[in-house]
Each structure stands twice: as C-alpha cells, then as structure tokens.
Amino acid sequence: GVRGNKLVEEAGIESVRGRVKVDEYLRAPGYENVFVIGDSSLMINEAENRPYPPTAQVATQQGKQLGANLVALLRNAPMQKFTYIYRGTIASLGKSDAIGILKNGTKLKGGTAMMMKKLVDNRSLFMIGGLGLLLKKGKL
C-alpha cells in the first residue's frame, strides 16, 4: 500500500513502481533480514517471465512462507524458497453475480460463481479469526 511504498522509499530500497523486487526467500535486495510481501513485493514467475499479480492469494501464501522462514531463522535452520500455488480466480460483479476460473480451468459464472465467492470469503474470515469472526462478518 501507500504507507509501505513510503517506507521502502525512505529506507533507500530500490523499487519498481513502488514494488520491491524480492529474491526467492522474499528478501529485499542487498538485505539478509528485510522481507517484503504482498502488494509491495515484486517477484517474477520464472515459467511465464512475468511478475506474480499483487493479489490476496499471492500475499497470503507469501505471509505463510515468511512466517515459516522467520521461525527457521530463529532456530538457525535453513529457509525455504517461496513457491506460489495458483488456486483459481473469482470476482464478484455485484450482489448476486460473479465470474471465476477454477484451478483446473473450469469457468464459473452467475449464481454458481457467487456461491463459490462467498465460500472463499467465508473461508478467509474463518482462517483469520475463527468461528467468531465468520459469524460476525461472514456471508451466510
């Protein structure tokens, strides 16, 4: 986000359009203990020679990997390289319509896609805050 971009700029870390090109361990260039994830990170998908998109799907996987790598650093164990796993894409188009593409290439639209979008959103809420957050904010 904007605040992250400002911090990167103030720290003197090189960026491209506000995104820091990170290594396979999500580290900023030239730093062993500075990590950048989410919208502020830029990581190239070697298979496609394109950057991974700045999406929540990428950011949550980066966050999980960074957490494991921080634990590894504290235990003097080797870190693991970040590997993105595409799980499909889904987007709402209003209150009752959506579109999506599943991991296997199956295309969804309309009510079926909206049901899947709600399922994805509810799962995210549950993973972040458990049943309490799901019941409070969920789309049930």
Side-chain angles (χ1 to χ4, degrees), residues 100-132:
I101 301 173
L102 300 181
K103 181 179 178 179
N104 67 7
T106 302
K107 294 180 180 178
L108 302 175
K109 62 183 180 178
T112 304
M114 182 51 90
M115 182 178 69
M116 183 63 75
K117 174 75 168 121
K118 288 179 180 181
L119 180 69
V120 168
D121 290 348
N122 286 339
R123 180 184 182 277
S124 295
L125 289 170
F126 181 77
M127 297 302 289
I128 292 169
L131 187 58

Side-chain angles (χ1 to χ4, degrees), residues 31-69:
Y31 294 88
E32 291 292 315
N33 59 355
V34 175
F35 300 87
V36 181
I37 63 172
D39 293 349
S40 295
S41 72
L42 175 67
M43 184 175 222
I44 303 297
N45 176 347
E46 299 295 334
E48 297 181 13
N49 197 30
R50 295 180 55 173
Y52 289 115
T55 62
Q57 185 176 170
V58 174
T60 56
Q61 289 182 38
Q62 286 177 327
K64 187 173 182 179
Q65 186 63 56
L66 177 56
N69 281 344

